[in-house]
Amino acid sequence: ARAASAALLDRVVNAAVNRAGAGGAEPASNEQVVEAAEVTEAVLGEVGADRAAALALVYDDDETNIRAALTARRLNPRLRLVLRLYNRRLGQHIEELLDQTAAVASGTGPGGGPGFDASTLRVEGKSVDWSLLARCALRGHLDSLCDGFIVEESDAARKALPVLRRGLLDGTLSDHFSRVEDELEKAAKVGAHLVTVLDAEYPENLRSVPDLPPFLFYRGKLDHDADAHSVAVVGTRDASDLGLSRARRVSRELGEAGYTITSGLARGVDTEAHRTALHFDRRTIAVIGTGITRCYPKENAELAEEISARGVIVSQFWPSRPPGRDTFPRRNHVTSAMSLGSVVIEASSTSGAKMQARVAAEQGRHVLLLKSLVDQQPWAQKMIATQRATAVSNTEQMLELLSDHVRTEQPPLHVQLPLDAG
Protein backbone atom coordinates (compact mmCIF):
# COMPACT_ATOMS: atom_id res chain seq x y z
CA ALA A 1 0.00 0.00 0.00
CA ARG A 2 2.82 2.39 0.85
CA ALA A 3 4.59 1.72 -2.46
CA ALA A 4 1.39 2.38 -4.41
CA SER A 5 0.77 5.56 -2.43
CA ALA A 6 4.31 6.76 -3.04
CA ALA A 7 3.98 6.19 -6.78
CA LEU A 8 0.80 8.25 -6.91
CA LEU A 9 2.38 11.13 -5.05
CA ASP A 10 5.58 11.07 -7.04
CA ARG A 11 3.60 11.34 -10.27
CA VAL A 12 1.85 14.49 -9.06
CA VAL A 13 5.05 16.09 -7.80
CA ASN A 14 6.91 15.35 -11.03
CA ALA A 15 4.05 16.81 -13.06
CA ALA A 16 4.28 19.99 -11.00
CA VAL A 17 8.05 20.16 -11.37
CA ASN A 18 7.89 19.64 -15.13
CA ARG A 19 5.19 22.23 -15.60
CA ALA A 20 7.06 24.76 -13.48
CA GLY A 21 10.26 24.05 -15.40
CA ALA A 22 8.45 24.78 -18.63
CA GLY A 23 7.45 28.17 -17.32
CA GLY A 24 3.81 27.21 -16.87
CA ALA A 25 3.56 27.99 -13.17
CA GLU A 26 2.69 31.47 -11.99
CA PRO A 27 4.47 32.75 -8.90
CA ALA A 28 2.33 32.29 -5.81
CA SER A 29 1.73 35.07 -3.31
CA ASN A 30 2.99 34.59 0.22
CA GLU A 31 -0.61 34.30 1.37
CA GLN A 32 -1.29 31.47 -1.07
CA VAL A 33 1.79 29.53 0.00
CA VAL A 34 1.08 29.96 3.71
CA GLU A 35 -2.58 29.01 3.29
CA ALA A 36 -1.69 25.93 1.26
CA ALA A 37 0.90 24.93 3.85
CA GLU A 38 -1.60 25.41 6.67
CA VAL A 39 -4.19 23.28 4.93
CA THR A 40 -1.58 20.60 4.25
CA GLU A 41 -0.49 20.71 7.88
CA ALA A 42 -4.08 20.33 9.06
CA VAL A 43 -4.63 17.39 6.75
CA LEU A 44 -1.43 15.73 7.91
CA GLY A 45 -2.61 16.06 11.48
CA GLU A 46 -5.48 13.72 10.67
CA VAL A 47 -3.93 11.18 8.30
CA GLY A 48 -2.57 7.74 9.05
CA ALA A 49 1.00 6.53 8.76
CA ASP A 50 0.65 5.38 5.16
CA ARG A 51 -0.60 8.74 3.92
CA ALA A 52 2.00 10.66 5.90
CA ALA A 53 4.74 8.41 4.54
CA ALA A 54 3.57 9.04 0.99
CA LEU A 55 3.51 12.80 1.50
CA ALA A 56 7.00 12.67 2.98
CA LEU A 57 8.35 12.11 -0.53
CA VAL A 58 7.69 15.77 -1.26
CA TYR A 59 10.25 16.71 1.34
CA ASP A 60 12.80 14.00 0.57
CA ASP A 61 12.82 13.71 4.33
CA ASP A 62 11.54 11.55 7.15
CA GLU A 63 7.79 11.85 7.73
CA THR A 64 8.32 12.74 11.39
CA ASN A 65 9.74 16.08 10.26
CA ILE A 66 6.73 17.10 8.17
CA ARG A 67 4.85 19.02 10.85
CA ALA A 68 7.95 20.87 12.03
CA ALA A 69 8.89 21.77 8.46
CA LEU A 70 5.44 23.15 7.75
CA THR A 71 5.17 25.04 11.01
CA ALA A 72 8.54 26.70 10.45
CA ARG A 73 7.68 27.29 6.76
CA ARG A 74 10.91 25.48 5.80
CA LEU A 75 9.46 24.23 2.56
CA ASN A 76 11.42 21.93 0.32
CA PRO A 77 11.80 23.37 -3.22
CA ARG A 78 9.81 20.51 -4.70
CA LEU A 79 6.91 21.24 -2.32
CA ARG A 80 7.09 24.92 -3.21
CA LEU A 81 6.51 24.00 -6.84
CA VAL A 82 3.44 22.01 -5.89
CA LEU A 83 2.10 24.81 -3.73
CA ARG A 84 2.56 27.32 -6.52
CA LEU A 85 -0.03 25.34 -8.41
CA TYR A 86 -2.33 25.08 -5.41
CA ASN A 87 -5.82 26.39 -6.26
CA ARG A 88 -4.91 26.03 -9.92
CA ARG A 89 -5.26 23.12 -12.33
CA LEU A 90 -2.81 20.75 -10.62
CA GLY A 91 -3.89 21.77 -7.15
CA GLN A 92 -6.93 19.52 -7.33
CA HIS A 93 -4.67 16.49 -7.87
CA ILE A 94 -3.21 16.92 -4.40
CA GLU A 95 -6.62 16.46 -2.80
CA GLU A 96 -7.49 13.66 -5.22
CA LEU A 97 -4.21 12.03 -4.31
CA LEU A 98 -5.03 12.12 -0.60
CA ASP A 99 -8.30 10.32 -1.28
CA GLN A 100 -6.60 7.76 -3.55
CA THR A 101 -3.87 7.16 -1.00
CA ALA A 102 -6.43 6.55 1.73
CA ALA A 103 -8.30 4.14 -0.55
CA VAL A 104 -5.13 2.18 -1.36
CA ALA A 105 -4.07 2.04 2.28
CA SER A 106 -7.49 0.84 3.49
CA GLY A 107 -8.15 -1.60 0.67
CA THR A 108 -11.20 0.35 -0.60
CA GLY A 109 -11.78 2.41 -3.72
CA PRO A 110 -10.14 1.32 -7.01
CA GLY A 111 -9.03 -2.27 -6.67
CA GLY A 112 -10.96 -2.75 -3.43
CA GLY A 113 -14.45 -2.25 -2.11
CA PRO A 114 -16.70 0.76 -2.75
CA GLY A 115 -15.14 3.99 -1.47
CA PHE A 116 -16.96 6.49 0.75
CA ASP A 117 -16.38 10.16 0.01
CA ALA A 118 -16.46 12.34 3.10
CA SER A 119 -18.36 15.16 1.41
CA THR A 120 -20.90 13.27 -0.67
CA LEU A 121 -22.24 9.83 -1.55
CA ARG A 122 -21.15 8.47 -4.90
CA VAL A 123 -22.37 5.88 -7.37
CA GLU A 124 -19.51 4.58 -9.51
CA GLY A 125 -17.55 7.75 -8.85
CA LYS A 126 -20.44 10.07 -9.74
CA SER A 127 -22.66 12.05 -7.41
CA VAL A 128 -25.85 14.05 -7.45
CA ASP A 129 -25.57 17.81 -6.91
CA TRP A 130 -26.56 18.23 -3.27
CA SER A 131 -27.93 21.71 -3.86
CA LEU A 132 -30.26 20.12 -6.41
CA LEU A 133 -31.47 17.65 -3.77
CA ALA A 134 -31.96 20.51 -1.32
CA ARG A 135 -33.98 22.56 -3.81
CA CYS A 136 -36.23 19.62 -4.63
CA ALA A 137 -36.77 18.74 -0.97
CA LEU A 138 -37.46 22.38 -0.12
CA ARG A 139 -40.27 22.41 -2.67
CA GLY A 140 -41.87 19.28 -1.31
CA HIS A 141 -40.59 16.83 -3.92
CA LEU A 142 -38.65 14.45 -1.68
CA ASP A 143 -41.00 11.57 -2.54
CA SER A 144 -40.36 12.18 -6.23
CA LEU A 145 -36.61 11.93 -5.63
CA CYS A 146 -37.08 8.62 -3.82
CA ASP A 147 -39.11 7.38 -6.79
CA GLY A 148 -36.38 8.35 -9.25
CA PHE A 149 -37.85 11.59 -10.60
CA ILE A 150 -36.33 15.05 -10.41
CA VAL A 151 -38.87 17.86 -10.46
CA GLU A 152 -36.58 20.49 -11.89
CA GLU A 153 -35.55 21.35 -15.40
CA SER A 154 -31.87 22.20 -15.44
CA ASP A 155 -28.50 20.89 -16.58
CA ALA A 156 -27.81 19.69 -13.04
CA ALA A 157 -31.07 17.73 -13.06
CA ARG A 158 -30.36 16.11 -16.42
CA LYS A 159 -26.89 15.03 -15.28
CA ALA A 160 -28.14 13.80 -11.92
CA LEU A 161 -31.13 11.77 -13.03
CA PRO A 162 -29.32 8.66 -14.35
CA VAL A 163 -26.98 8.67 -11.32
CA LEU A 164 -29.92 8.92 -8.93
CA ARG A 165 -31.81 6.11 -10.65
CA ARG A 166 -28.75 3.87 -10.76
CA GLY A 167 -28.23 4.32 -7.04
CA LEU A 168 -31.87 3.58 -6.29
CA LEU A 169 -32.09 0.55 -8.58
CA ASP A 170 -28.96 -1.34 -7.55
CA GLY A 171 -29.12 -0.45 -3.87
CA THR A 172 -25.77 1.35 -3.92
CA LEU A 173 -26.99 4.11 -1.64
CA SER A 174 -28.06 1.62 1.03
CA ASP A 175 -24.43 0.49 1.25
CA HIS A 176 -23.63 3.85 2.84
CA PHE A 177 -26.31 3.82 5.55
CA SER A 178 -23.97 2.47 8.22
CA ARG A 179 -21.37 5.11 7.39
CA VAL A 180 -23.98 7.85 7.63
CA GLU A 181 -25.09 6.51 11.00
CA ASP A 182 -21.45 6.53 12.10
CA GLU A 183 -21.18 10.20 11.12
CA LEU A 184 -24.32 11.01 13.09
CA GLU A 185 -22.86 9.29 16.14
CA LYS A 186 -19.67 11.32 15.82
CA ALA A 187 -21.72 14.50 15.72
CA ALA A 188 -23.69 13.47 18.79
CA LYS A 189 -20.48 12.84 20.76
CA VAL A 190 -19.47 16.50 20.43
CA GLY A 191 -22.97 17.75 21.21
CA ALA A 192 -23.80 18.68 17.62
CA HIS A 193 -27.26 18.65 16.10
CA LEU A 194 -28.59 18.19 12.58
CA VAL A 195 -31.02 20.49 10.77
CA THR A 196 -32.29 19.92 7.23
CA VAL A 197 -34.13 22.01 4.65
CA LEU A 198 -37.29 20.19 5.79
CA ASP A 199 -36.99 21.63 9.31
CA ALA A 200 -38.44 24.96 10.42
CA GLU A 201 -35.16 25.71 12.22
CA TYR A 202 -33.17 25.71 8.96
CA PRO A 203 -31.71 29.25 8.53
CA GLU A 204 -34.19 31.43 6.68
CA ASN A 205 -31.62 33.30 4.60
CA LEU A 206 -30.23 30.05 3.19
CA ARG A 207 -33.62 29.12 1.77
CA SER A 208 -33.51 32.02 -0.69
CA VAL A 209 -30.43 30.92 -2.66
CA PRO A 210 -30.17 28.13 -5.25
CA ASP A 211 -26.86 26.76 -3.93
CA LEU A 212 -28.15 25.89 -0.46
CA PRO A 213 -26.88 22.78 1.37
CA PRO A 214 -29.49 20.09 2.17
CA PHE A 215 -28.44 20.00 5.81
CA LEU A 216 -26.27 21.63 8.43
CA PHE A 217 -24.63 20.26 11.53
CA TYR A 218 -24.39 22.79 14.31
CA ARG A 219 -23.11 23.30 17.83
CA GLY A 220 -24.83 25.89 19.96
CA LYS A 221 -28.28 27.30 19.32
CA LEU A 222 -29.90 28.45 16.11
CA ASP A 223 -31.96 31.62 16.50
CA HIS A 224 -34.42 32.00 13.64
CA ASP A 225 -35.01 35.74 14.03
CA ALA A 226 -31.50 36.83 15.05
CA ASP A 227 -29.78 34.70 12.41
CA ALA A 228 -32.01 36.13 9.66
CA HIS A 229 -30.62 39.53 10.68
CA SER A 230 -26.94 38.70 10.22
CA VAL A 231 -24.06 40.33 8.38
CA ALA A 232 -20.81 38.65 7.36
CA VAL A 233 -17.58 40.42 8.29
CA VAL A 234 -14.70 38.81 6.39
CA GLY A 235 -11.19 39.44 5.17
CA THR A 236 -7.69 38.11 4.74
CA ARG A 237 -5.94 35.79 7.19
CA ASP A 238 -2.85 37.99 6.94
CA ALA A 239 -4.51 41.27 7.92
CA SER A 240 -2.61 44.42 8.84
CA ASP A 241 -2.96 45.93 12.31
CA LEU A 242 -5.11 48.66 10.78
CA GLY A 243 -7.25 46.05 9.06
CA LEU A 244 -7.79 44.19 12.33
CA SER A 245 -8.72 47.47 14.02
CA ARG A 246 -11.27 48.16 11.29
CA ALA A 247 -12.69 44.64 11.65
CA ARG A 248 -13.19 45.22 15.37
CA ARG A 249 -14.89 48.56 14.83
CA VAL A 250 -17.21 47.31 12.10
CA SER A 251 -18.17 44.23 14.14
CA ARG A 252 -18.79 46.29 17.27
CA GLU A 253 -20.93 48.91 15.53
CA LEU A 254 -22.95 46.41 13.50
CA GLY A 255 -23.51 44.40 16.67
CA GLU A 256 -24.67 47.51 18.50
CA ALA A 257 -27.15 48.09 15.67
CA GLY A 258 -28.66 44.67 16.34
CA TYR A 259 -27.00 42.57 13.65
CA THR A 260 -25.61 39.09 14.24
CA ILE A 261 -21.96 38.89 13.16
CA THR A 262 -21.18 35.98 10.83
CA SER A 263 -17.68 34.92 9.80
CA GLY A 264 -15.55 31.87 9.01
CA LEU A 265 -13.40 31.27 12.14
CA ALA A 266 -10.22 31.76 10.09
CA ARG A 267 -7.17 33.61 11.33
CA GLY A 268 -7.04 37.37 10.92
CA VAL A 269 -10.21 39.33 10.19
CA ASP A 270 -12.59 36.42 10.91
CA THR A 271 -11.12 35.84 14.36
CA GLU A 272 -11.35 39.53 15.27
CA ALA A 273 -14.97 39.71 14.09
CA HIS A 274 -15.99 36.77 16.31
CA ARG A 275 -14.00 37.93 19.33
CA THR A 276 -15.38 41.46 19.13
CA ALA A 277 -18.97 40.24 18.98
CA LEU A 278 -18.41 38.02 22.01
CA HIS A 279 -16.58 40.77 23.91
CA PHE A 280 -19.59 43.07 23.57
CA ASP A 281 -22.03 40.25 24.32
CA ARG A 282 -23.39 40.13 20.77
CA ARG A 283 -24.44 37.07 18.83
CA THR A 284 -21.98 35.54 16.36
CA ILE A 285 -22.13 32.66 13.87
CA ALA A 286 -19.05 30.72 12.76
CA VAL A 287 -19.41 28.92 9.43
CA ILE A 288 -16.54 26.45 9.29
CA GLY A 289 -14.73 24.73 6.43
CA THR A 290 -14.48 21.35 8.15
CA GLY A 291 -16.80 18.85 9.76
CA ILE A 292 -18.44 19.89 13.03
CA THR A 293 -16.21 17.56 15.07
CA ARG A 294 -13.09 19.48 14.02
CA CYS A 295 -11.64 22.94 14.46
CA TYR A 296 -9.47 24.71 11.93
CA PRO A 297 -7.21 26.43 12.68
CA LYS A 298 -6.56 24.50 15.88
CA GLU A 299 -5.41 27.66 17.63
CA ASN A 300 -9.04 28.83 17.56
CA ALA A 301 -10.35 25.82 19.49
CA GLU A 302 -11.00 27.88 22.62
CA LEU A 303 -12.73 30.57 20.57
CA ALA A 304 -14.87 27.92 18.89
CA GLU A 305 -16.01 26.60 22.27
CA GLU A 306 -17.00 30.09 23.38
CA ILE A 307 -18.94 30.65 20.15
CA SER A 308 -20.80 27.36 20.55
CA ALA A 309 -21.72 28.34 24.13
CA ARG A 310 -22.95 31.84 23.27
CA GLY A 311 -23.76 31.67 19.56
CA VAL A 312 -23.58 28.86 17.02
CA ILE A 313 -21.06 27.03 14.85
CA VAL A 314 -22.41 25.53 11.62
CA SER A 315 -20.97 23.14 9.05
CA GLN A 316 -22.40 21.87 5.76
CA PHE A 317 -20.03 18.87 5.74
CA TRP A 318 -20.09 15.39 7.22
CA PRO A 319 -18.97 15.65 10.87
CA SER A 320 -15.58 13.97 10.35
CA ARG A 321 -14.66 15.90 7.18
CA PRO A 322 -11.11 17.31 7.40
CA PRO A 323 -10.18 20.64 5.83
CA GLY A 324 -9.53 20.39 2.10
CA ARG A 325 -9.03 22.39 -1.04
CA ASP A 326 -12.77 22.42 -1.79
CA THR A 327 -14.17 22.94 1.69
CA PHE A 328 -13.27 26.59 2.20
CA PRO A 329 -14.73 27.89 -1.09
CA ARG A 330 -17.90 25.93 -0.36
CA ARG A 331 -17.92 27.38 3.15
CA ASN A 332 -17.87 30.87 1.61
CA HIS A 333 -21.13 30.16 -0.21
CA VAL A 334 -22.90 29.37 3.06
CA THR A 335 -21.30 32.26 4.96
CA SER A 336 -22.59 34.65 2.32
CA ALA A 337 -26.00 33.03 1.94
CA MET A 338 -26.69 33.07 5.69
CA SER A 339 -26.13 36.84 5.72
CA LEU A 340 -27.94 39.86 4.35
CA GLY A 341 -24.61 41.13 3.09
CA SER A 342 -20.85 40.71 3.31
CA VAL A 343 -18.51 43.44 4.54
CA VAL A 344 -14.98 42.88 3.21
CA ILE A 345 -12.30 44.55 5.35
CA GLU A 346 -9.02 43.60 3.63
CA ALA A 347 -8.49 41.08 0.84
CA SER A 348 -5.93 40.52 -1.89
CA SER A 349 -6.80 39.19 -5.33
CA THR A 350 -6.10 35.65 -4.10
CA SER A 351 -8.01 35.87 -0.83
CA GLY A 352 -11.03 33.76 -0.04
CA ALA A 353 -12.79 36.98 1.00
CA LYS A 354 -12.61 38.14 -2.61
CA MET A 355 -14.33 34.90 -3.61
CA GLN A 356 -17.02 35.50 -1.02
CA ALA A 357 -17.62 38.99 -2.42
CA ARG A 358 -18.17 37.49 -5.87
CA VAL A 359 -20.44 34.77 -4.49
CA ALA A 360 -22.45 37.29 -2.46
CA ALA A 361 -23.05 39.36 -5.59
CA GLU A 362 -24.20 36.26 -7.46
CA GLN A 363 -26.55 35.37 -4.61
CA GLY A 364 -28.09 38.84 -4.66
CA ARG A 365 -26.62 39.84 -1.32
CA HIS A 366 -25.19 43.23 -0.46
CA VAL A 367 -21.43 43.42 -1.08
CA LEU A 368 -19.91 46.21 1.03
CA LEU A 369 -16.24 46.97 0.40
CA LEU A 370 -14.37 49.33 2.68
CA LYS A 371 -13.22 52.43 0.83
CA SER A 372 -9.64 51.71 1.92
CA LEU A 373 -9.88 48.30 0.22
CA VAL A 374 -11.27 49.79 -2.99
CA ASP A 375 -8.45 52.34 -3.10
CA GLN A 376 -5.84 49.56 -3.02
CA GLN A 377 -7.26 46.57 -4.86
CA PRO A 378 -8.05 46.46 -8.62
CA TRP A 379 -10.51 43.57 -8.15
CA ALA A 380 -12.51 45.70 -5.71
CA GLN A 381 -12.46 48.65 -8.10
CA LYS A 382 -13.81 46.39 -10.85
CA MET A 383 -16.68 45.20 -8.66
CA ILE A 384 -17.60 48.80 -7.92
CA ALA A 385 -17.37 49.76 -11.59
CA THR A 386 -19.66 46.90 -12.61
CA GLN A 387 -22.12 47.79 -9.82
CA ARG A 388 -21.76 44.43 -8.10
CA ALA A 389 -20.57 46.06 -4.88
CA THR A 390 -20.74 49.32 -2.95
CA ALA A 391 -17.82 51.20 -1.42
CA VAL A 392 -18.48 52.27 2.17
CA SER A 393 -16.56 54.61 4.45
CA ASN A 394 -18.48 54.19 7.69
CA THR A 395 -20.99 52.01 9.46
CA GLU A 396 -23.83 54.47 8.87
CA GLN A 397 -23.58 53.78 5.14
CA MET A 398 -23.61 50.05 5.80
CA LEU A 399 -26.73 50.28 7.95
CA GLU A 400 -28.56 52.30 5.33
CA LEU A 401 -27.78 49.76 2.62
CA LEU A 402 -28.51 46.75 4.82
CA SER A 403 -31.95 48.12 5.66
CA ASP A 404 -32.90 47.07 2.12
CA HIS A 405 -33.07 43.30 2.54
CA VAL A 406 -32.10 42.02 -0.88
CA ARG A 407 -33.23 38.48 -1.60
CA THR A 408 -32.75 36.42 -4.72
CA GLU A 409 -35.79 35.14 -6.54
CA GLN A 410 -35.43 31.65 -7.92
CA PRO A 411 -36.97 30.92 -11.34
CA PRO A 412 -40.06 28.72 -11.37
CA LEU A 413 -39.31 25.02 -11.59
CA HIS A 414 -40.90 22.79 -14.20
CA VAL A 415 -41.84 19.14 -14.00
CA GLN A 416 -39.32 16.98 -15.81
CA LEU A 417 -40.93 14.16 -17.77
CA PRO A 418 -39.61 10.62 -17.34
CA LEU A 419 -38.60 10.59 -21.03
CA ASP A 420 -36.03 13.31 -20.27
CA ALA A 421 -33.84 10.64 -18.73
CA GLY A 422 -33.05 9.31 -22.16
Side-chain angles (χ1 to χ4, degrees):
R2 181 169 298 188
S5 301
L8 286 169
L9 181 69
D10 207 31
R11 191 169 62 201
V12 173
V13 174
N14 287 334
V17 171
N18 293 337
R19 184 166 183 258
E26 301 175 18
S29 67
N30 289 336
E31 184 177 26
Q32 281 180 304
V33 172
V34 170
E35 180 177 356
E38 289 172 347
V39 171
T40 306
E41 181 180 16
V43 171
L44 287 175
E46 308 297 339
V47 301
D50 287 317
R51 297 174 84 182
L55 284 165
L57 274 180
V58 178
Y59 295 86
D60 295 324
D61 203 349
D62 186 84
E63 57 263 32
T64 58
N65 295 327
I66 291 179
R67 183 175 294 277
L70 281 167
T71 303
R73 308 290 181 249
R74 294 193 298 270
L75 304 179
N76 181 281
R78 299 187 84 201
L79 178 61
R80 287 183 182 275
L81 291 169
V82 175
L83 295 187
R84 287 188 182 202
L85 299 169
Y86 206 83
N87 287 333
R88 292 185 172 87
R89 183 176 63 84
L90 278 179
Q92 63 183 331
H93 293 309
I94 297 175
E95 287 302 317
E96 292 172 358
L97 172 68
L98 290 173
D99 291 336
Q100 291 178 44
T101 305
V104 171
S106 62
T108 61
F116 180 83
D117 187 289
S119 61
T120 187
L121 302 179
R122 297 181 179 273
V123 177
E124 295 183 351
K126 297 181 180 180
S127 64
V128 177
D129 181 346
W130 275 27
S131 293
L132 170 67
L133 298 180
R135 292 194 298 272
C136 291
L138 188 62
R139 283 159 175 66
H141 301 303
L142 186 59
D143 288 342
S144 295
L145 286 173
C146 294
D147 290 336
F149 295 94
I150 298 178
V151 188
E152 178 177 311
E153 190 173 278
S154 64
D155 288 341
R158 282 186 284 274
K159 292 178 181 178
L161 190 56
V163 180
L164 174 67
R165 290 182 172 176
R166 179 64 181 271
L168 293 171
L169 286 174
D170 63 14
T172 302
L173 294 179
S174 63
D175 295 338
H176 297 301
F177 286 171
S178 62
R179 298 300 300 271
V180 173
E181 291 174 354
D182 182 55
E183 291 290 328
L184 294 175
E185 290 178 3
K186 290 177 180 177
K189 287 181 180 179
V190 298
H193 305 279
L194 173 68
V195 64
T196 77
V197 292
L198 302 178
D199 300 320
E201 298 81 10
Y202 189 86
E204 184 64 26
N205 290 341
L206 272 180
R207 296 180 186 273
S208 66
V209 297
D211 53 340
L212 74 168
F215 60 75
L216 295 171
F217 285 92
Y218 66 96
R219 293 176 58 210
K221 293 183 180 180
L222 294 172
D223 187 319
H224 190 271
D225 294 332
D227 296 348
H229 206 59
S230 66
V231 179
V233 179
V234 296
T236 179
R237 291 172 170 83
D238 189 26
S240 66
D241 290 341
L242 184 56
L244 295 177
S245 175
R246 287 168 174 158
R248 289 190 290 269
R249 179 174 178 179
V250 168
S251 300
R252 174 176 60 83
E253 294 182 351
L254 287 176
E256 289 174 348
Y259 286 97
T260 295
I261 303 302
T262 302
S263 201
L265 199 63
R267 295 184 179 94
V269 169
D270 291 19
T271 294
E272 291 305 306
H274 291 306
R275 284 178 175 165
T276 300
L278 293 171
H279 177 77
F280 290 97
D281 201 25
R282 306 296 180 183
R283 181 169 173 80
T284 186
I285 302 172
V287 185
I288 60 176
T290 67
I292 199 69
T293 64
R294 300 170 183 267
C295 178
Y296 179 80
K298 291 183 178 180
E299 66 199 49
N300 275 350
E302 185 175 341
L303 175 61
E305 290 303 313
E306 188 173 1
I307 293 173
S308 68
R310 299 168 57 188
V312 67
I313 300 175
V314 301
S315 170
Q316 71 209 77
F317 305 105
W318 289 112
S320 65
R321 180 72 156 93
R325 177 181 177 272
D326 64 314
T327 59
F328 296 103
R330 290 164 65 188
R331 181 272 311 272
N332 292 341
H333 281 252
V334 173
T335 308
S336 168
M338 287 191 69
S339 310
L340 298 174
S342 292
V343 180
V344 184
I345 306 297
E346 279 186 355
S348 69
S349 61
T350 60
S351 172
K354 175 199 170 184
M355 174 186 290
Q356 180 160 325
R358 175 184 59 77
V359 169
E362 293 171 353
Q363 292 174 335
R365 301 302 196 239
H366 291 291
V367 181
L368 309 178
L369 309 180
L370 292 196
K371 181 66 164 52
S372 55
L373 170 68
V374 176
D375 290 341
Q376 297 174 4
Q377 291 292 334
W379 71 263
Q381 296 163 12
K382 185 176 181 179
M383 287 198 73
I384 298 297
T386 54
Q387 299 183 340
R388 293 181 295 149
T390 304
V392 291
S393 301
N394 52 60
T395 310
E396 288 73 19
Q397 290 178 299
M398 298 179 197
L399 295 176
E400 182 178 356
L401 291 164
L402 290 168
S403 64
D404 177 19
H405 291 187
V406 176
R407 297 289 180 88
T408 56
E409 294 295 332
Q410 296 184 37
L413 302 177
H414 304 285
V415 175
Q416 181 171 316
L417 299 177
L419 290 177
D420 290 349

